[in-house]
Amino acid sequence: MCAIYKALGCTTLLIDDHPTPLSVSSEHFAADGVILFHNPASDDEYRSLQIIKMRGVPHPISRQAFRFGEKGIEVLGRR
């Protein structure tokens, strides 16, 4: 099925909820990219994301703050 979406030029997101975010699943090995989303512990913190794996693309390994804007996800960088 992934090959069909890729041939159509689509981006496919598989969303999973792990109790321990650093656990590795078999889906991680098959995926081209793995992004962890972190919710803030308090209202003064930003939501953040961390790119664990992005095949063929250089990326930062540190957490990056983000927000949902009018055009989608806006990455704000390290905070």
Side-chain angles (χ1 to χ4, degrees):
M1 182 174 281
C2 289
I4 294 170
Y5 292 129
K6 198 175 272 191
L8 292 172
C10 296
T11 298
T12 305
L13 299 176
L14 302 175
I15 300 172
D16 195 3
D17 186 16
H18 280 272
T20 54
L22 295 179
S23 63
V24 176
S25 68
S26 58
E27 290 86 1
H28 291 178
F29 293 107
D32 289 330
V34 176
I35 302 172
L36 296 180
F37 288 91
H38 303 274
N39 283 319
S42 70
D43 288 339
D44 338 345
E45 297 178 49
Y46 283 95
R47 292 177 177 172
S48 63
L49 58 84
Q50 186 175 14
I51 301 171
I52 302 300
K53 172 186 176 182
M54 195 59 60
R55 201 171 279 152
V57 178
H59 58 82
I61 57 172
S62 60
R63 283 188 181 188
Q64 305 290 312
F66 78 93
R67 67 178 172 202
F68 293 104
E70 291 181 19
K71 296 183 178 182
I73 295 176
E74 180 182 351
V75 179
L76 307 170
R78 290 186 74 174
R79 299 275 183 211

